[in-house]
């Protein structure tokens, strides 16, 4: 009887291990398809996936080197988790400072450089009231007039979270998905089931980031402030 019981326990452990392995592989495969509809946008691309995380997409878009990193955010207790897209266009820009415009700041945006920037700048009257502007230098040394139309367009969308501009390029942070409320409150699980990124959405975000780069680069010395 003892041997039979031990055998049943072993079989049970093996079955649990198989279920875990099956579900983990299914989750990994499902998440790998996040950008499935978007790949034709790129001149060339590469997808890299760490364990069961969402894949990071790098490649060339319209001649610009880009990186799109999904980031699952469930830091704030009782807040519905978000799946952010960190859309970065790499391009040398004629500006010396760092500009960070963050929407609905809650001091838990671990992906944002905002906390490390020491200069708080009053947002222009025409910009959304729910944004916080920080930099590493005064507003007079930043290309505020060049950025103005881009800020108004980008943050007219309530899912836009952040615009970061440095001498190395531009990053837009955008809420691609929010988690299932009931599942998260009960299970504390941020699964983002069936999450995918539409090609039209990613094209729009990339085009906006590229447009910022092009305008700043075209501004030359004027873009320095």
């Amino acid at each position: 009887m003892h041997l039979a019981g031990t055998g049943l326990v072993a079989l049970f452990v093996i079955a649990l291990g198989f279920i875990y392995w099956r579900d983990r592989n299914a989750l990994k495969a499902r998440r790998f398809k996040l950008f499935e509809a978007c790949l034709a946008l790129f001149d060339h691309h590469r997808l890299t996936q760490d364990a069961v995380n969402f894949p990071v997409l790098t490649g060339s878009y319209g001649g610009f080197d880009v990186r799109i990193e999904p980031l699952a955010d469930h830091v704030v207790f009782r807040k519905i988790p978000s799946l952010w897209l960190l859309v970065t266009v790499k391009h040398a820009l004629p500006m010396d400072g760092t500009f960070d415009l963050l929407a609905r700041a809650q001091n838990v945006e671990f992906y944002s450089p905002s906390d490390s920037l020491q200069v708080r700048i009053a947002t222009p009257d025409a910009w959304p009231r729910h944004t916080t502007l920080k930099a590493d230098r005064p507003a007079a040394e930043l290309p505020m007039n060049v950025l103005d139309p881009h800020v108004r367009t980008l943050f007219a969308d309530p899912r836009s979270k952040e615009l970061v501009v440095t001498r190395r390029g531009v990053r837009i942070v955008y809420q691609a998905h929010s988690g299932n409320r009931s599942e998260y409150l009960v299970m504390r699980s941020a699964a983002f089931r069936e999450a995918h990124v539409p090609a039209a959405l990613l094209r729009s975000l990339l085009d906006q980031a590229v447009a910022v780069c092009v305008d700043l680069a075209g501004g030359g010395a004027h873009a320095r402030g």
Side-chain angles (χ1 to χ4, degrees):
M1 290 294 294
H2 177 71
L3 290 176
T6 301
L8 287 174
V9 170
L11 287 174
F12 181 70
V13 170
I14 291 171
L16 285 180
F18 173 77
I19 292 171
Y20 172 79
W21 173 84
R22 181 199 63 192
D23 291 350
R24 181 181 173 85
N25 283 350
L27 176 62
K28 181 177 181 178
R30 186 166 64 246
R31 288 185 166 182
F32 191 76
K33 296 179 180 180
L34 180 70
F35 296 114
E36 190 173 41
C38 304
L39 301 182
L41 297 174
F42 299 90
D43 306 320
H44 59 79
H45 70 272
R46 181 186 180 199
L47 287 168
T48 56
Q49 186 177 28
D50 183 14
V52 297
N53 294 326
F54 287 102
V56 175
L57 172 60
T58 56
S60 175
Y61 178 81
F64 290 84
D65 290 335
V66 302
R67 173 184 171 92
I68 301 95
E69 180 181 359
L71 188 63
D73 176 12
H74 47 88
V75 170
V76 182
F77 184 67
R78 294 188 181 279
K79 177 186 174 184
I80 302 304
S82 293
L83 180 63
W84 303 108
L85 287 185
L86 279 60
V87 178
T88 303
V89 173
K90 301 176 183 179
H91 191 68
L93 297 175
M95 62 178 287
D96 297 323
T98 295
F99 168 102
D100 182 279
L101 187 65
L102 183 65
R104 299 171 298 279
Q106 298 182 8
N107 298 318
V108 293
E109 289 84 6
F110 58 91
Y111 48 82
S112 170
S114 180
D115 282 347
S116 66
L117 299 173
Q118 301 304 311
V119 181
R120 175 74 178 266
I121 298 173
T123 53
D125 291 340
W127 291 12
R129 295 293 86 198
H130 62 270
T131 56
T132 301
L133 176 56
K134 297 187 72 176
D136 59 357
R137 61 200 61 224
E141 298 180 26
L142 295 171
M144 302 288 286
N145 53 342
V146 178
L147 292 170
D148 177 75
H150 300 288
V151 166
R152 298 194 200 195
T153 299
L154 178 63
F155 288 91
D157 185 338
R159 288 182 174 266
S160 294
K161 180 65 174 177
E162 186 176 34
L163 173 65
V164 183
V165 183
T166 73
R167 69 181 67 183
R168 297 181 299 276
V170 172
R171 186 176 77 190
I172 292 172
V173 180
Y174 187 88
Q175 185 187 42
H177 289 277
S178 57
N180 180 278
R181 179 178 177 83
S182 58
E183 181 178 9
Y184 183 67
L185 292 179
V186 174
M187 304 297 295
R188 311 308 298 172
S189 172
F192 303 105
R193 299 185 186 279
E194 308 305 326
H196 69 282
V197 177
L201 170 61
L202 188 55
R203 181 190 296 112
S204 174
L205 294 172
L206 287 167
D207 285 347
Q208 289 180 80
V210 166
V212 176
C213 287
V214 169
D215 280 1
L216 286 172
H222 181 64
R224 292 181 179 271

